Every structure is written in structure tokens, then in C-alpha cells.
Amino acid sequence: MYTKSRAKLRGICKQKKIGHTGTLDPEASGVLPVCLGNATKLCDLLTDKDKEYRAVLLLGVETDTQDTTGQILTEKEVNAGEEDVRSAILSFVGPYDQIPPMYSALKVNGQKLCDLARKGQVVERKSRRITIHSIEIEDISLPRVTMRVACSRGTYIRTLCHDIGQKLGCGGAMERLERTRSGNFKAEDAYRLSELEVFAKEGSLEEKLLPVESVFEQLDALKKEDILVLAGSIPVTMPSDIYEQIMKKLQDKNVTIIVDATKNLLLNVLKYHPFLIKPNHHELGEIFGVELSEWEDVVPYAKKLQEMGAVNVLVSMGGKGGVLLSEDGKVVATKATTSVVKNSVGAGDSSVAGFIAGWLQKKDYDYAFSMAMATGGASAASDYLATKQEVEESLKRVDLKH
């Protein structure tokens, strides 16, 4: 659907460079933010956003595509009552591990799942942790349920409908879908292609376009008590100075900003005095062209980052623990809280979250550092993100050295 729309949009807008911020199912409708010209560099920034949908679930049927456009696999009578249906649907609110459908654009071993599905092949798919933020049930007229779903990026509403049907034992498929919001972009502010054609003929199309700066409007809502985390590398499709742009825009708001990035992406924002930066010892060594293995070796180089503008510097050292240089001139270190690493993905983000939680609780750097190391270590030792109990047990193993 999007390929045809993009070709039509090129003609309407007289633009060769057009980028989309996600896709919609072929029979779905709704909001799809589109970037034109140089704004295509912002596509990745807009893609990683929460979404909201209005969907109709049809119970009593399962199809190969998990929606009613597919081939029917099973049909069953719906014996569940309204309260059972409501309870089953609302049980999916929160994080859950969703297995992507075969009819999707995701790739396995370099091949799109939908291409394999059209050949009649079914392959194993790994589940992905997604989050259903909320579900509002608008109407239950069995076998149909109309609902609004707010969810994280990467959620398949078709699969949610399928999973609800599985839970009820009668099967389920998505009958209709409309995306009502993508990030800050809402359906009531969107235009149809037919409307854009009219604007183009009238010569008023350009005034309907949002400026690139509008992407940062949500930053205007931040205030002194807020905490903003800038983490990860920047895709080549985005401006390389995006973190710098954000921090410059916020420099007069006194927002607490934490940066978890590497090399120039980190160095270029130090002049804006981030509250916390969190390089690991390899990344710190790479910045200064040295090899660092012990926390005592890390300290002088972490101090250089403080001299360049960082308020606090937390350096993680993998299995050797970590070290914190705080704004009050103290240096504190600890060994790792675990020798078992099951999953390092998310451990760094967990450390940042732990530091924030510790700082907000006690406004004490020793405690914030302890929480950072405990949370990061607990997540590294867990199959998924650590639970509260796992973090509390990990915290008992933190042994600070000043």
C-alpha cells in the first residue's frame, strides 16, 4: 500500500526524496507520517514512537494472516460471555512477548517472512518484548469487539487479536484497523492523498507541511524537574549532531540530561554539561587512544571528561564492575555484582535507570551508583530485564571502595 502511496505523493509534492516512518497493513488506514526532502534524515527519529489504533476483533475464526483478509484455518463457536472477553483482552495490558506473524516484513536469514509465507513456508520466529500501554474497549457485540489500543513500536495488532482469541479458546482475527496516532501525530491533524492533491492544485500545499523543527516540539514540554536520557548511536539517515541540537534547545530549561553515547556523539555535547555520561572503559579508551583495564587507570581520563563539561561520569567495566566520578570530587568504585552474564542487552540501559532511581530517592551519589551497578548487574544475569527482587538481591552485593 505504501509503495503506491509514495509514488503518488512524489507526483503531488514534486519531491524525489520521500521517506516513511513505518508501514501499515494493506487493508488498514490511518496516520502515516511522511518526510520530504532533507527531512528524510529524521525518519528514524520518528519511527521509534508509540502508536495508537482503533481495531475490530472478530472472534471465532483464525486465518493464516491473522486478519480477515487471509485464508480461514479454523472456525469455532464463541462461548465466552462479555465479561470473560473483557477480562481476556485487558489481561494483555503491560509488557508481553509477542511472536511476529508470518505475513510481515520482518526478515529471517535475509528473507522476508511474508515472502516465505506466500510460498507456503512457516519458520520459527523469536518472540519480541512489546508493551500494550492501554486498551479501551468501546463496544462488545459478540463475535465482534471494537477497541482502542495504545502500544509500543513493533506491536502487531493482528497478532494481539490472534492471541486474545487463543486465550479465549475460540480463535480471533483482526477485521478492521485504523492507526489514530503515531508519536505526536494524530488522525485529526492528518490529510488524505486526495486532499493533498487539491492543496497542490490550489498552490497551498507548502503551508500544510510541518517544518523540521516541529519534530522537537515535544521538548518544549520539558521542565526543570524532568530527566531526559539520550542513548545509543545515530543511524546514518539522521543528522549526526541530533543530540547536540536537542541539548542546545534545552540548555535554558535546566532539564537533567543523561547521555549514553560514544566518541564524537558524546564529546560534542559535553559543552552543554550533561548531568551524567556513561561510557564503558573500552569507549573511554577509544576516545583518548589508550587501553584501559583497571578502574585506577580509568580515573584520570574520566576526570578529563569532567573538565570538558560532564557533571558526573560513570564508567562501566563489564565483569570488573564500575567507577563513578561525581561532581563533589569523589571517586567510588565497586566490583561486578554477578559473574554470570545471561543477556547483556539492556544492562547498560538498566544501569542508567538504576542511577536515576537511586538519585531521585536519596539525592546521594553513592546510593545512585550502587543502584546503577545493582540494576545493571541484575539485568545482565537475567533472561530479560531484572525484577525488583533481583535488583534488591544484587544491591546487597555492592561493595563500594572510595
Side-chain angles (χ1 to χ4, degrees):
M1 182 199 77
Y2 176 70
T3 301
K4 294 180 180 178
S5 299
R6 182 170 57 180
K8 193 169 184 178
L9 197 56
R10 277 202 183 101
I12 296 171
C13 300
K14 311 300 182 187
Q15 286 274 356
K16 290 184 178 180
K17 291 177 66 177
I18 292 182
H20 64 99
T21 61
T23 57
L24 279 168
D25 287 342
E27 301 303 318
S29 62
V31 178
L32 181 64
V34 176
C35 300
L36 306 177
N38 290 332
T40 54
K41 293 181 179 181
L42 297 174
C43 280
D44 286 302
L45 182 64
L46 297 175
T47 301
D48 191 17
K49 299 293 182 182
D50 290 344
K51 312 285 196 303
E52 286 185 3
Y53 298 89
R54 188 171 188 264
V56 176
L57 159 65
L58 177 63
L59 293 171
V61 61
E62 287 190 356
T63 73
D64 57 352
T65 59
Q66 299 182 347
D67 62 19
T68 54
T69 67
Q71 181 180 347
I72 295 176
L73 302 177
T74 63
E75 289 185 277
K76 293 181 181 180
E77 187 175 344
V78 180
N79 295 316
E82 286 192 13
E83 285 308 310
D84 291 331
V85 171
R86 186 181 300 275
S87 177
I89 291 173
L90 295 181
S91 72
F92 283 88
V93 174
Y96 93 95
D97 297 319
Q98 188 180 74
I99 299 175
M102 277 300 301
Y103 280 88
S104 66
L106 295 179
K107 291 184 178 181
V108 172
N109 297 325
Q111 291 185 289
K112 287 185 178 180
L113 287 174
C114 57
D115 292 338
L116 296 174
R118 292 187 185 102
K119 296 176 184 177
Q121 299 179 32
V122 177
V123 298
E124 183 178 356
R125 289 97 66 202
K126 292 183 179 179
S127 63
R128 305 192 304 175
R129 177 58 63 97
I130 57 96
T131 300
I132 305 296
H133 299 302
S134 65
I135 299 179
E136 178 189 346
I137 299 174
E138 294 186 338
D139 180 67
I140 299 180
S141 300
L142 295 176
R144 289 174 174 81
V145 180
T146 302
M147 56 188 179
R148 289 186 178 271
V149 181
C151 57
S152 63
R153 173 194 179 188
T155 300
Y156 285 91
I157 304 300
R158 280 182 288 140
T159 302
L160 174 64
C161 290
H162 169 83
D163 292 347
I164 291 170
Q166 288 274 303
K167 190 177 183 77
L168 287 167
C170 60
M174 185 184 76
E175 189 172 56
R176 287 198 301 274
L177 182 68
E178 178 192 5
R179 183 187 289 160
T180 56
R181 182 177 66 82
S182 177
N184 287 336
F185 300 97
K186 300 178 181 179
E188 54 263 35
D189 301 321
Y191 297 106
R192 296 183 181 276
L193 283 175
S194 58
E195 292 178 298
L196 295 180
E197 286 182 297
V198 173
F199 297 148
K201 290 177 182 178
E202 294 175 345
S204 61
L205 178 61
E206 190 169 344
E207 65 188 57
K208 306 297 182 183
L209 303 179
L210 297 173
V212 171
E213 291 74 19
S214 66
V215 173
F216 301 110
E217 284 181 356
Q218 57 190 310
L219 297 176
D220 294 334
L222 294 175
K223 50 189 181 299
K224 186 176 180 180
E225 295 79 12
D226 292 327
I227 296 175
L228 175 66
V229 179
L230 302 174
S233 57
I234 299 297
V236 294
T237 55
M238 286 177 59
S240 59
D241 63 344
I242 188 69
Y243 285 176
E244 194 174 352
Q245 288 184 43
I246 291 173
M247 293 193 70
K248 182 179 180 180
K249 184 176 180 65
L250 295 174
Q251 62 181 332
D252 296 328
K253 283 181 168 285
N254 293 317
V255 173
T256 298
I257 300 179
I258 295 172
V259 181
D260 186 2
T262 61
K263 299 175 75 173
N264 290 339
L265 195 59
L266 174 63
L267 293 175
N268 291 341
V269 302
L270 294 181
K271 59 190 174 186
Y272 297 109
H273 308 292
F275 176 71
L276 177 72
I277 61 173
K278 196 197 73 63
N280 63 42
H281 62 297
H282 295 303
E283 293 164 347
L284 182 61
E286 189 177 8
I287 288 173
F288 293 104
V290 296
E291 188 171 323
L292 305 172
S293 57
E294 304 298 331
W295 73 265
E296 292 90 350
D297 302 327
V298 162
V299 172
Y301 295 99
K303 283 184 176 178
K304 288 185 179 182
L305 295 182
Q306 279 188 310
E307 292 167 0
M308 295 168 70
V311 178
N312 301 288
V313 182
L314 194 166
V315 182
S316 56
M317 304 189 66
K320 292 186 177 181
V323 57
L324 173 72
L325 279 71
S326 55
E327 64 176 319
D328 54 13
K330 293 181 180 178
V331 177
V332 59
T334 185
K335 295 180 180 179
T337 61
T338 180
S339 59
V340 177
V341 177
K342 290 184 179 180
N343 180 18
S344 61
V345 177
D349 292 337
S350 294
S351 292
V352 171
F355 188 95
I356 294 171
W359 177 251
L360 290 177
Q361 286 175 36
K362 298 189 177 182
K363 293 293 190 293
D364 177 83
Y365 285 123
D366 280 4
Y367 183 69
F369 177 57
S370 297
M371 282 292 292
M373 300 307 297
T375 309
S379 284
S382 302
D383 291 322
Y384 299 106
L385 296 180
T387 64
K388 179 180 179 182
Q389 183 178 356
E390 288 170 336
V391 172
E392 289 173 346
E393 289 298 316
S394 181
L395 186 60
K396 296 175 184 177
R397 296 189 291 272
V398 174
D399 182 20
L400 300 184
K401 304 292 184 184
H402 291 87

